[in-house]
């Protein structure tokens, strides 16, 4: 009886042990599938972020490349069409070069237009680069009035630059004379400072604008004569007049002349001797049919 009870107890114990072993094996087999949903979600999200990050990086590169390409096109075109620094910067007028800046040309044009309307004695505008000579030019009924009057007719100690009353106001004569005071500053005072070869070479060109025409002045002689010299008898025969200036020259420049040439002489007082006069003379070259002289 006892033996029988022991037998069945052993059988039950073995059975319980077998069941435990089977349960344990079952758990180990399915452990990889028992991942909590939250953890699974985190892993999935992490993968998604990694994938999204990779996609974003790629997209960003593509956008950057596309944007850079789109921006480079107009920038390249703009660089090709935009004015350079040399273009923006105004060309500096120089008395040694036969060029005139566009800005100065327009300034002279504006002044000439305004003065020709309001001042009946106005004949043109005179400009010499690298100097104080940048003035309206008038013409009176004699060579005395504008020694002490401004272009508007008001009394003015410095006077005005004026054309000899005997010369044609439209500069159709071959010989033309402009008078101006020899001052420490302004008017024709600069002429006395050009009495050296270096300064003569540095002030070869000037400009004179009338209501109808712009002239370049190509200076070829600086001379000194008496104020009573025959050179002041104008109008006169051009060859004789020019020869007289060259005979009394301080400095000259070689130049080919023609019978159709017209000349402009700038004159002022000098201290070389009693009644001495300094003359700076050039040929009037009309600037018509071309704008190559503009800078």
């Amino acid at each position: 009886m006892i033996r029988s009870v022991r037998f069945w107890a052993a059988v039950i114990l073995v059975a319980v042990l077998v069941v435990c072993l089977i349960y344990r094996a079952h758990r180990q087999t399915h452990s990889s599938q028992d991942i909590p949903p939250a953890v699974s979600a985190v892993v999935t999200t992490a993968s998604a972020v990694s994938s999204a990050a990779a996609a974003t990086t790629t997209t960003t590169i593509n956008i950057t490349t596309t944007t850079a390409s789109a921006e480079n096109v107009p920038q390249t075109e703009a660089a090709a069409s935009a004015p350079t620094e040399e273009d923006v910067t105004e060309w500096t007028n120089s008395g040694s070069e036969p060029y005139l800046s566009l800005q100065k040309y327009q300034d002279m044009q504006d002044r000439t237009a305004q003065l020709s309307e309001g001042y009946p004695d106005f004949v043109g505008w005179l400009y010499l680069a690298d100097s104080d000579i940048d003035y309206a030019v008038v013409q009176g009924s004699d060579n005395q009035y504008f020694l002490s009057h401004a272009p508007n007719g008001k009394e003015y100690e410095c006077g005005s630059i004026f054309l000899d009353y005997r010369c044609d106001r439209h500069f159709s004569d071959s010989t033309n004379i402009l008078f101006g005071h020899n001052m420490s500053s302004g008017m024709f005072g600069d002429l006395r400072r050009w009495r050296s070869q270096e300064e003569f070479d540095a002030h070869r060109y000037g400009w004179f604008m009338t209501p109808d025409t712009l002239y370049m002045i190509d200076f070829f002689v600086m001379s000194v004569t008496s104020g009573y010299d025959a050179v002041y008898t104008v109008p006169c025969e051009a060859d004789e007049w020019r020869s007289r200036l060259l005979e009394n020259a301080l400095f000259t420049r070689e130049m080919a002349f023609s019978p159709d040439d017209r000349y402009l002489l700038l004159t002022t007082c000098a201290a070389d001797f009693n009644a001495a006069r300094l003359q700076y003379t050039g040929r009037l070259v009309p600037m018509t049919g071309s704008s190559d002289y503009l800078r």
Side-chain angles (χ1 to χ4, degrees):
M1 183 69 180
I2 295 173
R3 186 176 179 181
S4 177
V5 173
R6 287 180 177 175
F7 173 79
W8 289 109
V11 171
I12 294 172
L13 181 60
V14 171
V16 171
L17 180 61
V18 170
V19 172
C20 290
L21 291 173
I22 293 172
Y23 177 77
R24 183 177 180 182
H26 177 76
R27 285 184 59 86
Q28 289 177 349
T29 301
H30 295 85
S31 60
S32 61
Q33 299 176 3
D34 295 341
I35 300 175
V39 175
S40 178
V42 170
V43 173
T44 303
T45 304
S47 300
V49 170
S50 298
S51 301
T56 303
T57 302
T58 304
T59 305
T60 302
I61 291 173
N62 291 337
I63 291 174
T64 302
T65 303
T66 304
T67 303
S69 300
E71 290 177 351
N72 284 340
V73 173
Q75 286 177 352
T76 302
E77 293 176 350
S81 59
T84 64
E85 182 178 350
E86 183 178 356
D87 293 329
V88 172
T89 303
E90 182 193 350
W91 185 83
T92 302
N93 295 290
S94 171
S96 62
E97 298 183 81
Y99 304 115
L100 185 66
S101 72
L102 178 60
Q103 182 175 338
K104 188 59 186 178
Y105 170 80
Q106 293 173 338
D107 174 64
M108 293 176 66
Q109 193 175 46
D110 290 343
R111 294 178 186 228
T112 300
Q114 293 172 5
L115 292 172
S116 62
E117 291 181 1
Y119 298 87
D121 295 323
F122 174 79
V123 295
W125 192 274
L126 177 67
Y127 170 66
L128 273 63
D130 306 319
S131 79
D132 292 330
I133 301 173
D134 193 13
Y135 293 107
V137 176
V138 291
Q139 185 183 42
S141 57
D142 56 41
N143 288 343
Q144 299 296 319
Y145 182 79
F146 281 110
L147 287 172
S148 57
H149 288 80
N152 61 5
K154 293 183 178 181
E155 289 191 12
Y156 181 52
E157 183 179 3
C158 298
S160 303
I161 305 297
F162 62 92
L163 175 68
D164 192 298
Y165 77 99
R166 296 164 294 181
C167 298
D168 179 72
R169 66 181 288 113
H170 302 291
F171 295 85
S172 60
D173 294 334
S174 58
T175 55
N176 304 275
I177 299 177
L178 299 185
F179 295 91
H181 287 302
N182 184 348
M183 303 181 64
S184 59
S185 177
M187 304 305 285
F188 280 171
D190 277 335
L191 296 183
R192 73 175 184 277
R193 289 189 279 273
W194 298 350
R195 296 179 55 153
S196 70
Q197 187 67 54
E198 181 180 3
E199 291 298 320
F200 179 72
D201 293 338
H203 297 90
R204 173 170 181 169
Y205 300 101
W207 302 90
F208 186 73
M209 181 177 284
T210 71
D212 302 317
T213 308
L214 172 68
Y215 296 94
M216 180 179 70
I217 312 169
D218 192 355
F219 292 104
F220 63 91
V221 58
M222 176 176 278
S223 52
V224 175
T225 70
S226 165
Y228 302 103
D229 193 270
V231 74
Y232 289 103
T233 303
V234 290
C236 65
E237 199 279 321
D239 288 342
E240 180 181 348
W241 185 81
R242 189 178 62 247
S243 296
R244 184 63 183 158
L245 292 171
L246 293 173
E247 287 175 7
N248 294 278
L250 300 175
F251 307 101
T252 62
R253 183 176 291 111
E254 290 188 10
M255 185 177 292
F257 301 104
S258 76
D260 296 328
D261 286 340
R262 287 176 286 169
Y263 304 97
L264 187 66
L265 181 154
L266 282 55
T267 185
T268 191
C269 298
D272 297 70
F273 48 83
N274 186 39
R277 298 292 185 271
L278 178 67
Q279 298 109 10
Y280 201 45
T281 308
R283 182 172 55 186
L284 288 172
V285 183
M287 298 287 101
T288 55
S290 172
S291 60
D292 292 342
Y293 60 90
L294 292 178
R295 289 294 182 271

